[in-house]
Amino acid sequence: MRARAVVDLTTLRDNVRALREAAPTAELMAVVKSDGYGHGAVPCARAARAAGAGWLGTATPEEALALRAAGDQGRLMCWLWTPGGPWRQAIEADIDVSAGGAWALREAVVAARACGRTARVQLKADTGLGRNGCPPADWPDLIAEARAAEAEGAIRVTGLWSHFACADEPGHPSIAAQLTVFREMLDQAERAGLRPEVRHLANSPATLTVPESHFDLVRTGIALYGISPSPQLGVPADFGLRPAMTLKASLAAVKRVPGGHGVSYGHRYVTPGETTLALVPLGYGDGIPRHASGTGPVLVAGKWRTIAGTVAMDQFVVDLGGDSAEPGDEAVLFGPGDHGEPTAEDWARAVGSIAYEIVTRISARVPRVYVGNLGGTGI
C-alpha cells in the first residue's frame, strides 16, 4: 500500500477501560466526532461500546445518524445544530439532541410534535467557554420553556451540560469558576422542576485531572485515542493510555544526488553534499501539514529524519545522508513511539499545533487498516 493509517482497536478498548477507571463513579461517553478524530467513527464506536462506553457523542447530527445507520442502538448524543437541521430524523432515531438556546429548543419541539414522539433534549449551559450554550442571564427563560415542553409531553430533558475552556491548563482559574457557575445553573434547573438523567461537564483533561467535575457522565474525546489532552500534564503512559494510530508509507523512490541539489518546490532545501534522497508518497492532500516543510519528523531506515524542503500535495522528501534504503521500505510518520518512531505529539510540536489536529486531518485518501480485537461485526 502507498500509505496506511493502522488503528489498533485493542489499544482503543484498553484506553476506554483506563478512562473508566479514572472516573469510576460516572458513565463514559466515547466521542467519535470528525470520523473518530480521524481513526474511523464506526470501528472506534464498536470498540468503545465493547469496552463499556455507555454513550457515544458526535458533533453533528449527520455523524450521529450515520452511526445509527451502521447499527448502533445505544445512547447517542449530538450537539452542533444549525437552524433547519434534521431534528425530526434525529428524534425518530432516538438520538439525544442538544439545545443551547430558545431557537434550538423550539425547533426540537416542532419536530417532536410533527413525528408524534417525545424528543430527548439536553440543555447546554455556557459557563464560560463563550461558544455554544445558553448564558446564565438567559438560562431561567430556557429552563422554564423546556419545563413547559416537558409538561406537554413534547420533550424529555435528559441532560444538562457544559464544556470547559481551559481544563488542559492545570490550575487555571477558569476551571473552578466554571464549576461554580455550572452548579448554580444546575440548582436553578432543579428548582424549576427539571430532573435530568445526566449532568456532565468533564472533557478528556478534566476526566483525568479534575475529579470534582465528573458528575454523572464524562465525555472523553482525544484521550480515547491514546493521546494526552494536555502534554504539560503528562504523556499518554502517565494516564494509562497508548496512541491507537500509526501512520506509515512505502518509499516511492530512493536516489543519490550531488551536493548543491535543490529539493522540492522553491528549493527551500539544498543538499549540503552528495547524499541519498528518499521520496515519501504522502502530502498535504493526505493531511500532512504543508507547514511541516523542513520540520516534520519521520522514521526511515532506523533513524529520525526531518522533511527536506517543501511538502507537496502528494509527496515529500527526506535526506538519508550516508544511509541507504530501497523503494518499498517503510517510513513511519507517527505512532505510539514504541519502536523509536515519532508520535503525533512530536508532530504537533514540530508544526506549532496540537496532536488533535495531526490525527484528525489525515484524509480519507489514506486507508484505515484495523488490527487487534475488532469487537464483533455490529456496534
Side-chain angles (χ1 to χ4, degrees), residues 27-30 32 45-46 48-50 52-58 63-65 67-78 90-97 117 120 122 197 217 378-379:
E27 293 189 70
L28 184 136
M29 175 187 288
V32 293
R46 182 181 301 137
R49 289 283 200 206
W55 288 73
L56 298 178
T58 70
E63 292 171 328
L65 289 167
L67 290 172
R68 285 290 192 246
D72 182 73
Q73 298 179 356
R75 297 304 298 271
L76 172 59
M77 178 186 175
C78 63
I91 293 166
E92 290 175 338
D94 290 324
I95 294 167
D96 282 53
V97 301
R117 299 186 63 165
R120 293 206 291 249
Q122 300 210 19
E197 297 172 33
L217 175 71
I379 295 182

Side-chain angles (χ1 to χ4, degrees), residues 77-338:
M77 178 186 175
C78 63
W79 47 78
L80 189 58
W81 289 86
T82 53
W87 297 95
R88 178 167 181 168
Q89 295 96 309
I91 293 166
E92 290 175 338
D94 290 324
I95 294 167
D96 282 53
V97 301
S98 179
W103 74 264
L105 177 63
R106 290 165 188 165
E107 291 206 6
V109 168
V110 168
R113 290 170 179 160
C115 64
R117 299 186 63 165
T118 300
R120 293 206 291 249
V121 177
Q122 300 210 19
L123 302 180
K124 184 175 185 183
D126 181 0
T127 56
L129 179 59
R131 297 191 318 192
N132 203 359
C134 182
D138 298 334
W139 187 245
D141 290 340
L142 181 65
I143 58 179
E145 191 166 337
R147 187 69 189 92
E150 268 197 334
E152 175 195 327
I155 71 167
R156 167 85 175 91
V157 176
T158 55
L160 300 171
W161 72 293
S162 189
H163 195 55
F164 277 118
C166 305
D168 56 345
E169 299 180 40
H172 195 284
S174 69
I175 297 171
Q178 285 194 252
L179 269 166
T180 297
V181 173
F182 188 55
R183 290 190 179 105
E184 291 171 351
M185 295 175 84
L186 291 177
D187 288 344
Q188 291 177 26
E190 183 176 351
R191 290 196 299 270
L194 296 180
R195 299 292 184 269
E197 297 172 33
V198 288
R199 302 159 301 156
H200 49 110
L201 175 61
N203 52 5
S204 284
T207 297
L208 294 169
T209 65
V210 190
E212 61 270 33
S213 72
H214 290 174
F215 293 95
D216 306 304
L217 175 71
V218 294
R219 303 186 308 274
T220 55
I222 196 66
L224 181 74
Y225 308 98
I227 293 172
S228 174
S230 177
Q232 61 264 47
L233 291 176
V235 298
D238 293 331
F239 303 109
L241 306 174
R242 183 174 183 271
M245 180 190 287
T246 301
L247 181 62
K248 305 178 178 182
S250 299
L251 297 181
V254 179
K255 61 186 177 184
R256 293 290 291 176
V257 299
H261 197 292
V263 176
S264 193
Y265 293 123
H267 284 182
R268 296 168 64 184
Y269 179 81
V270 177
T271 58
E274 185 179 2
T275 191
T276 300
L277 300 179
L279 184 66
V280 179
L282 284 165
Y284 59 79
D286 303 289
I288 307 305
R290 192 172 186 271
H291 51 284
S293 302
T295 63
V298 189
L299 183 70
V300 181
K303 295 180 183 177
W304 270 38
R305 321 287 175 171
T306 300
I307 293 175
T310 303
V311 175
M313 184 180 292
D314 314 301
Q315 53 201 287
F316 63 81
V317 175
V318 293
D319 188 338
L320 302 185
D323 298 322
S324 61
E326 296 292 332
D329 285 356
E330 187 173 83
V332 183
L333 281 73
F334 60 79
D338 298 346

